[in-house]
Amino acid sequence: MTETQDHETLPGSAQWMLTSLEPQVKDVAETMTRRVQSALTDLAGPVDGRRYRLIYTAIHNAMRVFIDRALGRSTPMTALDDLFRKMGYREAGTGRDRTTIERALHLVQNELWDLLRVLAADNELSAGALNAVGEMLSDFFAHLDEQLALGHESGTTDRNQDVGVARDRLIDLLLTGGDPDAVSTQASIARWEVPERITVAAIDVDGEGELEPGVLGREAIVGKGRPQLVLCDAAAFEDVSRQIKEALPRTRITHCWPIAAADVAEAWKWVTRAVELVHSHVIPKRPVIDCARYRTEIWLHAEPVMRRQLAQELLEPLFAESENSREILSETLLVWLETRESAPAIAAKLGVHPQTVRYRWKRINELFGEALHDPDFVIQLTLVLKASVPLWIAGDQSDFQLYRSTRER
């Protein structure tokens, strides 16, 4: 659609009908805005919200310009074109495609066409006159759709060249096992060369704000959310760690051992699991936590449902004991399983008399009997106790509650 007015041939009856619509533009725009927000959940929002005002402004201005131009008035398209290009640009800036905004545009076009057909019937407009209005409406909305597309294309180009956006995309690709060529492209835009050996770390903040990506310069890339993801060259981790501590003194840094780029997703699982285990008091709280020191704990807690099931099956004799008996027997049994030391050595480790250990061991044998001579049983018992005892010590009672609930059925 050009700036030239080319609608002088619009029948007079159609012009009169459009003139009668002018006083209703505000009310119609409000109604259409509510319908758009009701039909498209991505555009929903309160009537006094910013999103409502943006949609209303676009519909109201579009209707005004359409009627003016249909009536042959010298109304330029410049401002309206600019508005719709900005809308497309804004959608691209948020990373969304044009689907939702184009659906909204087509919904408004259909609603307006339905309204015009009702008015045409009320005013006994001829089929030819109505068709002329319909063609004009179709051309007008096709032009607006084109402006949305131009704005979106421009926004997409700018977004693709934005370092911050590229870093977010690079993180997403690394966490989802993205195509190596796509990783290379985004890394180039992000100005971060993917190292051969990467350290994956989580910033677990205690009462502080998030780490600003710029704090680490080009040495590392920082994700969003909590805990925050940090990726850096393994050789530079000590320096990166120091910078993090300077920016956020109370933060806790949990990091994995050096890995290849292809293993970033798995390493992030290990690191975030370690963070969870810190909060569960299975791993002690320290300013910097090296996952390499807690590989067993991370591994054993990889399948919490399986741990819980094995605990119910293998530790049933312990669960039937009193709380105090269960605590001292599980502690003694775990030390024996891990060390296979004598009673005096175990006693020294536990800080009790050797005779106390012998008494406890007698009770353990009564509970588990010949199963303690089965190598497979002993291996599973060691693992499930090693995974469970720290939880119990930290106050997690879910294993015992589950045991009691199954016995009450």
Side-chain angles (χ1 to χ4, degrees):
M1 179 173 290
T2 66
E3 295 296 333
T4 305
Q5 299 300 121
D6 54 3
H7 306 310
E8 292 82 357
T9 58
L10 193 67
S13 57
Q15 293 188 31
W16 185 88
M17 179 188 73
L18 290 172
T19 301
S20 69
L21 179 61
E22 285 191 277
Q24 304 176 49
V25 167
K26 180 178 182 295
D27 292 338
V28 171
E30 289 176 346
T31 299
M32 289 186 179
T33 301
R34 289 193 293 270
R35 288 178 180 172
V36 166
Q37 290 197 300
S38 176
L40 303 173
T41 55
D42 287 347
L43 300 179
V47 293
D48 58 349
R50 180 173 177 272
R51 187 171 293 166
Y52 177 93
R53 292 195 298 274
L54 287 173
I55 298 170
Y56 169 79
T57 299
I59 296 174
H60 183 272
N61 290 2
M63 287 186 64
R64 284 289 184 193
V65 171
F66 172 72
I67 292 174
D68 281 349
R69 292 177 68 83
L71 296 177
R73 296 168 183 163
S74 299
T75 303
M77 292 286 292
T78 307
L80 188 64
D81 287 352
D82 185 56
L83 172 62
F84 274 75
R85 283 196 294 269
K86 285 181 178 178
M87 290 169 64
Y89 187 95
R90 188 181 298 113
E91 285 294 289
T94 60
R96 293 191 292 265
D97 60 23
R98 299 203 313 268
T99 303
T100 298
I101 197 167
E102 286 186 338
R103 285 179 63 193
L105 184 66
H106 296 156
L107 189 154
V108 171
Q109 180 181 351
N110 292 336
E111 291 277 341
L112 185 54
W113 176 234
D114 288 343
L115 174 61
L116 290 173
R117 286 193 299 174
V118 170
L119 289 175
D122 291 344
N123 290 275
E124 299 181 351
L125 205 65
S126 69
L130 180 60
N131 286 338
V133 174
E135 289 177 6
M136 188 182 305
L137 184 71
S138 180
D139 290 344
F140 183 79
F141 273 85
H143 176 79
L144 295 182
D145 196 13
E146 182 180 336
Q147 302 312 301
L148 286 174
L150 289 172
H152 194 277
E153 182 180 354
S154 176
T156 299
T157 299
D158 289 351
R159 179 177 170 82
N160 285 339
Q161 297 302 321
D162 184 87
V163 172
V165 172
R167 291 194 168 197
D168 289 342
R169 287 183 173 178
L170 178 58
I171 288 173
D172 287 340
L173 287 167
L174 291 171
L175 290 178
T176 56
D179 178 73
D181 289 340
V183 169
S184 178
T185 298
Q186 293 304 320
S188 176
I189 298 172
R191 301 171 191 168
W192 190 72
E193 184 175 348
V194 180
E196 289 188 10
R197 306 297 289 172
I198 298 175
T199 290
V200 177
I203 304 175
D204 192 18
V205 182
D206 285 341
E208 294 182 305
E210 289 189 350
L211 181 72
E212 293 295 330
V215 170
L216 304 181
R218 295 188 180 182
E219 288 191 336
I221 54 176
V222 182
K224 299 173 182 177
R226 296 203 174 185
Q228 275 186 281
L229 167 73
V230 174
L231 302 177
C232 69
D233 190 323
F237 176 69
E238 287 190 13
D239 184 50
V240 169
S241 178
R242 178 185 54 76
Q243 293 179 61
I244 294 172
K245 283 294 185 180
E246 288 177 354
L248 299 173
R250 294 197 301 274
T251 194
R252 184 180 304 106
I253 304 172
T254 303
H255 66 94
C256 77
W257 49 91
I259 49 93
D263 295 327
V264 166
E266 294 302 317
W268 182 236
K269 291 179 185 177
W270 304 330
V271 170
T272 52
R273 187 173 301 133
V275 171
E276 293 169 359
L277 294 177
V278 169
H279 289 293
S280 299
H281 305 287
V282 173
I283 294 177
K285 288 187 177 181
R286 292 191 174 92
V288 178
I289 296 171
D290 185 353
C291 289
R293 296 182 56 187
Y294 301 100
R295 284 175 175 168
T296 302
E297 288 82 356
I298 293 169
W299 177 39
L300 293 177
H301 286 273
E303 297 290 346
V305 175
M306 183 176 290
R307 183 209 64 79
R308 188 163 57 244
Q309 180 185 348
L310 283 172
Q312 295 300 311
E313 293 178 6
L314 303 181
L315 304 179
E316 181 178 353
L318 276 178
F319 290 168
E321 294 288 292
S322 66
E323 182 177 346
N324 181 62
S325 176
R326 180 174 63 233
E327 180 179 336
I328 61 177
L329 292 179
S330 60
E331 182 183 39
T332 304
L333 178 55
L334 181 56
V335 172
W336 177 79
L337 289 168
E338 290 180 326
T339 66
R340 302 301 177 92
E341 296 279 7
S342 63
I346 293 174
K349 208 172 193 51
L350 296 175
V352 298
H353 193 278
Q355 190 58 34
T356 301
V357 172
R358 294 187 183 97
Y359 171 79
R360 294 178 183 177
W361 186 246
K362 180 176 180 294
R363 180 58 182 155
I364 289 170
N365 273 280
E366 290 174 353
L367 294 176
F368 292 97
E370 291 299 315
L372 292 174
H373 299 288
D374 181 345
D376 288 340
F377 177 81
V378 168
I379 290 173
Q380 292 185 65
L381 186 64
T382 303
L383 294 177
V384 77
L385 275 174
K386 192 172 180 64
S388 302
V389 169
L391 290 175
W392 303 344
I393 293 174
D396 189 323
Q397 299 293 303
S398 59
D399 285 337
F400 316 127
Q401 293 167 352
L402 178 58
Y403 172 78
R404 287 194 296 270
S405 67
T406 57
R407 292 299 174 275
E408 292 170 358
R409 291 175 188 168

